[in-house]
Amino acid sequence: MSATAQATDTPLSEKQRRILEYLQANADEQTYFKSRLIGEELGLSAKEVGTNMTTIADGDYSVDVEKWGYSSSTTWMVEA
């Protein structure tokens, strides 16, 4: 598990760890994230990001994630 992720009952997959680390690195500068744009940064599809974000949103990590909107891509509100 990444040193930046907090322990939970369910270990994160590699994709989930990469997404969580991206959110942790950027949450201080940005509040809203689109799945499509996260995917572009990490080499994932928007669908892969959305599928894995629900695990992060449901877990106990150093960021709070909430599904926020569905315009051109699912938007997530992230608070550090």
Side-chain angles (χ1 to χ4, degrees):
M1 180 175 277
S2 168
T4 57
Q6 296 178 2
T8 63
D9 292 340
T10 306
L12 295 175
S13 70
E14 173 64 25
K15 290 178 187 177
Q16 291 163 347
R17 264 196 320 273
R18 288 174 51 209
I19 293 167
L20 178 59
E21 289 170 357
Y22 175 83
L23 295 174
Q24 290 169 329
N26 294 286
D28 288 338
E29 301 166 8
Q30 188 175 344
T31 302
Y32 298 96
F33 295 84
K34 289 193 173 285
S35 291
R36 176 178 46 83
L37 299 177
I38 295 170
E40 287 175 8
E41 287 289 323
L42 300 178
L44 303 171
S45 71
K47 185 173 183 170
E48 287 175 302
V49 172
T51 300
N52 288 290
M53 285 287 275
T54 56
T55 300
I56 295 169
D58 292 341
D60 183 24
Y61 302 101
S62 60
V63 293
D64 293 322
V65 177
E66 179 181 338
K67 190 180 276 191
W68 194 254
Y70 301 98
S71 54
S72 62
S73 176
T74 301
T75 301
W76 302 89
M77 183 178 74
V78 179
E79 297 176 321

